[in-house]
Amino acid sequence: MFAEGGMDCGRESGGAGTVLMRFVWPHGGRSVFLSGSFDRWTRLVPMSPVEGCPTVFQAICSITPGYHQYKFFVDGEWRHDERQPCSTSEYGVVNTVLFTGETNYNSVIGQEMPLGMELDNETFRRVVHVSDGTVGDVLPRISEADLQVSRHRISVFLSTQTAYELLPQSGKVVALDVDVPVKQAFHILHEQGISTAPLWDFSKGQFTGMLSASDFILILTELGKHGSNLTEEELATHTISAWKEGKAYMNRQIDGHGRALPRHLVHTGPYDNLKDVALRILQNEVATIPIIHSSSEDGSFPQLLHLASLSGILKCVCRYFSHCSGTLPILQLPISAIPLGTWVPKIGESNRRPLAMLRPSASLSSALNLLIQAQVSSIPIVDDNDSLLDVYCRSDITALAKDRVYTHININEMTIHQALQLGQDSYSPYEVRGQRCQMCLRSDTLHKVMERLANSGVRRLVIVEAGSKRVEGIITLSDVFKFLLG
């Protein structure tokens, strides 16, 4: 006998103060998993069909007496058993149970004893496989064939779409003249709520580069090396052109004959396919590239149409595959089961790249230096338990333009907390602050992560532990495309 959608319990020891429980899902499915609050939602337990009852699945777990919750993960979707007692939380409907530990195994067989869950409706990375009395860690895996099929279908789709797909029905693109003083450019980006702008050289009659928040970080860190306050006069001493020429000289590439190689603007045309656009962004390690159209063969009279970004391209992918995600097997995998993102190294994983994190008491200069040295676009700000508090991004540097804050602060003395407080009221309507600190779980499917990253203004997701919000990793738009394009 079995308890439909519930559990059986036995006095066999499952650990100190625990007993082994049998959970049952009687409503069929191809693949069924269980997860519950009894193990802090760290595992996804595979459930096996009951012999002679192909629509009934069971799993055995070790739990302690007390109030517990659980849910079933059936064919890629979270389900609860409607026949069992339920409760509703911010995460949806869950099954619940109060287990006193006084029941013996035989008396509960056939009774309905439910559990529930306090977590977003996703799958989990850690899977406990119960077979012949052994317990071991297993990760959901995808075959190499399915992986290649998914990548091929995405590649084919991107190759058949052009940059025209990225053009909005209405909108504006801000471009700056190269002769504008850096100080003025700083204020323009802040006032427009943007972090990047193409540069127009009137004398050449063409777009010659891009100005980004990274430029201002480099400027402020350079000026702040001596510990002096940053004055408005110092920022006004260089035009954008002068700054770019100096930066190009410092970062110039030399050919085999010792000659400096010219640096060209990375851009795309409206007829270029989206796969080439994405690869161009990745290969040049930039956030956006301008879409420029010229009606003449020599490239004169260029028209700036829009800025191409990975976010816009990902939105096209999600829109196209939204109703046929089943044709892409990799989309249903949890992000922790695929090589995606940067994760906090675990014991014995010395080969993993450390994840840059800072406390709110750290200096602003340390954050700016880390953004440059680690070559990342954002840094999770955490408390003493590594729980997520906020995120400091490269684009946050423009908050210093508010009321000319940069003229009376010292970046070596200002803390990250103070810098974030400064920025809370400085965001324009073009960027919602809540989008700055988007989170996900290791259990989230790749499909859900992609949909979140495709939203305007979202450039990365911080992976946190359910409940504690302890930072476990971070996933960026670049990470997703590097994985999808292989």
Side-chain angles (χ1 to χ4, degrees):
M1 297 178 65
F2 55 86
E4 291 190 357
M7 66 179 189
D8 297 338
C9 63
R11 304 309 299 174
E12 296 91 347
S13 175
T18 65
V19 292
L20 296 179
M21 313 297 299
R22 185 169 73 99
F23 295 85
V24 177
W25 171 258
H27 305 298
R30 294 186 303 275
S31 64
V32 183
F33 296 86
L34 165 79
S35 190
S37 60
F38 42 83
D39 59 9
R40 300 181 61 191
W41 310 103
T42 58
R43 304 184 303 168
L44 182 65
V45 182
M47 304 187 73
S48 304
V50 174
E51 185 175 356
C53 301
T55 62
V56 179
F57 293 76
Q58 65 177 356
I60 300 174
C61 294
S62 178
I63 74 170
T64 57
Y67 177 79
H68 295 289
Q69 302 177 317
Y70 72 86
K71 251 186 179 180
F72 302 95
F73 190 67
V74 183
D75 296 337
E77 295 184 0
W78 280 104
R79 303 275 299 277
H80 69 281
D81 191 343
E82 297 179 353
R83 302 182 185 180
Q84 305 299 328
C86 303
S87 69
T88 302
S89 70
E90 58 181 306
Y91 303 106
V93 181
V94 297
N95 293 125
T96 60
V97 71
L98 176 63
F99 172 54
T100 64
E102 300 297 327
T103 319
N104 66 39
Y105 182 85
N106 292 324
S107 65
V108 298
I109 294 180
Q111 294 183 11
E112 298 180 344
M113 297 185 65
L115 294 178
M117 147 170 211
E118 195 173 278
L119 191 57
D120 201 356
N121 292 346
E122 305 302 331
T123 180
F124 288 81
R125 178 189 182 221
R126 288 295 177 185
V127 177
V128 173
H129 178 65
V130 182
S131 176
D132 300 328
T134 62
V135 180
D137 286 341
V138 179
L139 282 177
R141 298 185 63 85
I142 188 171
S143 69
E144 182 65 24
D146 284 342
L147 176 60
Q148 294 307 320
V149 166
S150 297
R151 284 175 169 170
H152 175 71
R153 286 173 176 162
I154 291 177
S155 178
V156 169
F157 167 73
L158 292 177
S159 298
T160 58
Q161 306 297 308
T162 68
Y164 260 127
E165 297 293 331
L166 304 179
L167 303 184
Q169 292 184 347
S170 63
K172 67 176 182 179
V173 181
V174 177
L176 299 174
D177 192 290
V178 294
D179 292 326
V180 169
V182 169
K183 177 190 71 173
Q184 186 177 350
F186 197 4
H187 288 284
I188 291 174
L189 292 195
H190 165 67
E191 291 168 358
Q192 295 296 320
I194 57 178
S195 59
T196 305
L199 299 176
W200 171 260
D201 189 322
F202 183 79
S203 63
K204 297 180 180 179
Q206 62 184 22
F207 293 96
T208 58
M210 297 285 288
L211 187 72
S212 70
S214 298
D215 290 304
F216 293 117
I217 291 177
L218 291 171
I219 292 173
L220 296 184
T221 52
E222 183 66 26
L223 294 176
K225 283 182 179 178
H226 305 293
S228 61
N229 288 344
L230 305 174
T231 66
E232 193 167 9
E233 289 72 25
E234 285 176 307
L235 284 178
T237 56
H238 286 79
T239 63
I240 297 176
S241 178
W243 159 249
K244 282 294 187 179
E245 288 176 3
K247 179 184 176 186
Y249 178 80
M250 291 184 293
N251 300 322
R252 68 191 188 283
Q253 295 179 325
I254 307 299
D255 64 14
H257 302 286
R259 294 172 299 193
L261 295 173
R263 296 176 64 88
H264 299 287
L265 169 66
V266 180
H267 66 283
T268 188
Y271 301 110
D272 293 343
N273 70 69
L274 291 183
K275 181 179 180 180
D276 287 343
V277 175
L279 291 175
R280 202 167 300 167
I281 292 175
L282 293 175
Q283 291 165 359
N284 289 278
E285 298 180 341
V286 294
T288 57
I289 59 175
I291 302 175
I292 299 175
H293 173 64
S294 177
S295 56
S296 59
E297 295 182 0
D298 60 0
S300 57
F301 305 106
Q303 292 179 302
L304 177 61
L305 301 180
H306 193 54
L307 295 181
S309 68
L310 294 180
S311 176
I313 299 174
L314 188 60
K315 184 174 295 185
C316 292
V317 174
C318 291
R319 183 169 58 241
Y320 180 78
F321 289 101
S322 60
H323 301 298
C324 55
S325 59
T327 64
L328 299 178
I330 59 175
L331 295 189
Q332 303 308 320
L333 280 181
I335 55 174
S336 55
I338 54 182
L340 183 67
T342 302
W343 295 73
V344 174
K346 305 296 183 182
I347 297 176
E349 295 179 338
S350 58
N351 60 323
R352 270 192 174 180
R353 174 186 176 187
L355 177 65
M357 294 187 289
L358 287 174
R359 302 285 187 264
S361 59
S363 68
L364 177 58
S365 62
S366 66
L368 300 183
N369 288 329
L370 191 54
L371 286 171
I372 297 172
Q373 295 168 3
Q375 295 183 325
V376 294
S377 62
S378 63
I379 303 171
I381 308 303
V382 298
D383 62 16
D384 292 338
N385 296 317
D386 289 343
S387 295
L388 184 66
L389 299 174
D390 210 322
V391 174
Y392 195 83
C393 313
R394 290 189 183 189
S395 57
D396 288 332
I397 194 66
T398 59
L400 297 183
K402 180 187 179 184
D403 301 325
R404 294 182 174 85
V405 170
Y406 55 79
T407 65
H408 56 266
I409 61 103
N410 187 316
I411 63 173
N412 295 311
E413 297 176 357
M414 173 174 272
T415 66
I416 296 176
H417 173 72
Q418 292 171 329
L420 288 170
Q421 289 293 111
L422 173 70
Q424 283 186 358
D425 300 323
S426 66
Y427 292 96
S428 73
Y430 303 107
E431 179 176 359
V432 180
R433 179 174 175 80
Q435 293 181 330
R436 294 167 20 84
C437 198
Q438 289 285 318
M439 297 173 286
C440 67
L441 304 173
R442 64 167 55 226
S443 56
D444 284 347
T445 61
L446 176 59
H447 185 215
K448 184 168 187 176
V449 166
M450 288 169 55
E451 287 186 325
R452 288 182 179 177
L453 286 173
N455 291 327
S456 177
V458 180
R459 299 182 180 179
R460 84 284 303 169
L461 297 178
V462 182
I463 309 165
V464 298
E465 181 184 56
S468 71
K469 290 176 62 176
R470 188 173 63 218
V471 174
E472 296 185 323
I474 193 166
I475 293 178
T476 66
L477 282 162
S478 296
D479 293 329
V480 170
F481 274 90
K482 288 176 182 177
F483 174 72
L484 293 180
L485 298 178

